[in-house]
Amino acid sequence: MVTSRADAHELMPVTVGGVDTAWDERQPSVLLIEDDPGDALLVEELVADSALKMRLRWVRSMAEAAEVLSAERPDCVLLDLHLPDASGLEAVSLVKARADQVAIVVLTGLAEEQTGLAAVTAGAQDYLVKGRVEPELFGRAVRYAIQRKQAEQSAVALQASLMQAQENARLERGLLPRPLLRADGVQVVARYRPGRAQALLGGDFYDIVQSADGTVHALVGDVSGHGPDEAALGVALRIAWRTLVLSGITGVEQVARLEEILVAERARDEVFATLVSLSAVPGEQRASVVRAGHHGLLRRGAGGDVDWVEVPGGPALGLVPGGAHWPTAELPVPPGASVVLFTDGLFEGHVSHGPQRLGEEGLLQLARDAAGLAPDEFVDRLIGEAEGLAEERGGLADDVAVVHVSWN
């Protein structure tokens, strides 16, 4: 028989046997805030007779409850609305202010059912009328109150997560470049596909700018690694590149400045970036290319031929800070030809369950098969085919950036 502990403000640690359910694997902790020893005894007996195992602690006032809540978090608070230092809905507000993540079940008198309903409106999960509660109903009310509170918190967390995701998506979309073209005659098709799930921006970056003298500048780069740090660094490099182009700094000096920025901004010393930068004057049948640790590019001829071209280059940015040299190479571009710059995510996907990857030769064959297509269809076909071949291994895991550019 459980006896009253009217003089013991420490909890009556009552653990009562019950049915073997998943809920019993962890006994919920319950804080009873009740100034009447007789009512406290009734609650204690309800706990003893309930099928739900629980650990119960009793305090007589809101002040004592505040001390307990400052040190620990019960799963549920059983709250009397007539305390010596708090009454009515004020008591509910005080408990919520101290521990908003805790479920609250209000204890009311026989004539206070409307007050109980008001307490639920104010934030309590349920109410029980003293003298009308059976042990089974009591245990179920405590259990459901805890579950409802957990569901409320999950819903709030989900809403916050959705809002954060929407904000991140707007931010990432705003960081993707828009080609800056000043005259007709330049055709650009750009595609970007991040490798990170639920992301719009990865470590790959690209940009296209036409300077005031008509020169067309194109960039594609790839920051090593995956994640938000790499995405942020890629954006920094892309914006810096555009600023340098508009300031008239190109070629080797431009790449050296980008390396300085990478070294200053990278989160870890082992982070590096590869890139290929192209400059071409409309009307001329050549382009100046600077390659830093990047792979080759594709050149599409007017007659439908496609070549893989690798011009001389230097090391990736950040590998030997201050000690690298990047030559400027001249790339012949016949009339009607186009140049395709891209990152290695386009050809490093697997093409089977084994270790085989698409590779440079495989990508070149895909490009030759699609050689007769218009620029936008050509780029979409390359990405679609590479994605389809990698489908058995979950698709392309790396970021992909592609820039198809031509000029008259």
Side-chain angles (χ1 to χ4, degrees):
M1 175 68 179
V2 179
T3 58
S4 173
R5 294 174 175 83
D7 296 328
H9 296 181
E10 295 298 322
L11 169 43
M12 312 169 279
V14 180
T15 302
V16 185
V19 296
D20 184 16
T21 65
W23 183 267
D24 292 331
E25 293 178 3
R26 177 184 175 275
Q27 298 175 6
S29 56
V30 177
L31 176 65
L32 171 63
I33 310 176
E34 171 64 72
D35 65 325
D36 188 318
D39 287 342
L41 174 60
L42 291 176
V43 172
E44 194 174 24
E45 291 176 339
L46 286 171
V47 172
D49 294 337
S50 171
L52 173 65
K53 296 179 181 180
M54 66 182 74
R55 295 173 289 114
L56 183 68
R57 181 165 189 163
W58 170 38
V59 295
R60 296 178 181 229
S61 66
M62 188 59 66
E64 292 181 16
E67 292 182 10
V68 173
L69 293 174
S70 65
E72 59 186 77
R73 285 290 182 267
D75 296 300
C76 182
V77 168
L78 297 176
L79 177 62
D80 178 45
L81 294 182
H82 298 285
L83 299 171
D85 52 355
S87 62
L89 300 183
E90 176 193 10
V92 177
S93 298
L94 290 173
V95 172
K96 285 176 62 65
R98 290 282 182 179
D100 188 48
Q101 69 272 36
V102 174
I104 301 174
V105 176
V106 166
L107 302 176
T108 68
L110 294 174
E112 297 177 315
E113 190 162 351
Q114 290 302 316
T115 303
L117 291 171
V120 172
T121 302
Q125 276 60 57
D126 205 345
Y127 73 94
L128 296 173
V129 179
K130 297 178 183 179
R132 290 186 179 177
V133 182
E134 298 296 329
E136 181 180 352
L137 173 61
F138 173 81
R140 188 164 62 245
V142 170
R143 180 180 63 195
Y144 289 172
I146 295 172
Q147 291 177 336
R148 277 195 293 274
K149 188 62 179 180
Q150 291 172 343
E152 290 173 12
Q153 292 177 304
S154 297
V156 169
L158 177 60
Q159 181 63 23
S161 177
L162 290 174
M163 293 180 65
Q164 177 92 39
Q166 291 169 356
E167 284 295 316
N168 289 343
R170 282 193 289 270
L171 176 62
E172 292 185 12
R173 276 194 295 269
L175 292 174
L176 288 172
R178 296 182 181 180
L180 177 57
L181 302 177
R182 302 173 184 269
D184 296 333
V186 180
Q187 294 183 336
V188 174
V189 175
R191 297 288 187 267
Y192 191 88
R193 178 194 176 283
R196 290 186 298 137
Q198 309 302 320
L200 296 176
L201 200 64
D204 287 8
F205 54 96
Y206 74 93
D207 207 348
I208 306 97
V209 172
Q210 188 173 25
S211 53
D213 64 0
T215 303
V216 177
H217 305 267
L219 168 77
V220 164
D222 183 0
V223 177
S224 62
H226 304 278
D229 288 341
E230 289 74 20
L233 182 55
V235 170
L237 292 173
R238 194 271 298 175
I239 294 174
W241 178 85
R242 177 174 284 207
T243 302
L244 291 168
V245 168
L246 295 177
S247 300
I249 300 174
T250 59
V252 176
E253 184 181 358
Q254 178 192 89
V255 178
R257 298 293 173 268
L258 291 176
E259 183 178 62
E260 290 179 8
I261 293 171
L262 178 139
V263 172
E265 296 287 339
R266 62 185 176 183
R268 303 177 308 279
D269 290 343
E270 63 269 22
V271 173
F272 63 90
T274 69
L275 64 82
V276 58
S277 179
L278 174 149
S279 299
V281 177
E284 296 187 0
Q285 298 178 18
R286 61 186 178 84
S288 297
V289 179
V290 179
R291 188 167 65 95
H294 210 75
H295 50 75
L297 50 84
L298 294 176
R299 181 175 54 195
R300 299 182 66 195
D305 55 311
V306 180
D307 298 318
W308 180 285
V309 181
E310 291 206 18
V311 300
L317 307 187
L319 290 184
V320 284
H325 172 68
W326 301 276
T328 299
E330 294 297 319
L331 174 68
V333 183
S338 306
V339 176
V340 185
L341 311 178
F342 50 91
T343 54
D344 58 10
L346 187 60
F347 62 82
E348 286 197 341
H350 290 84
V351 294
S352 67
H353 286 293
Q356 184 181 358
R357 298 178 184 271
L358 177 61
E360 298 172 358
E361 290 296 328
L363 178 63
L364 178 59
Q365 185 59 53
L366 292 181
R368 287 173 172 169
D369 292 342
L373 298 177
D376 55 345
E377 295 175 335
F378 175 83
V379 173
D380 290 338
R381 171 73 68 83
L382 285 186
I383 297 174
E385 290 289 335
E387 180 75 43
L389 291 170
E391 186 175 357
E392 292 186 7
R393 293 288 293 270
L396 298 177
D398 200 0
D399 307 326
V400 174
V402 181
V403 173
H404 184 293
V405 58
S406 60
W407 56 91
N408 295 328

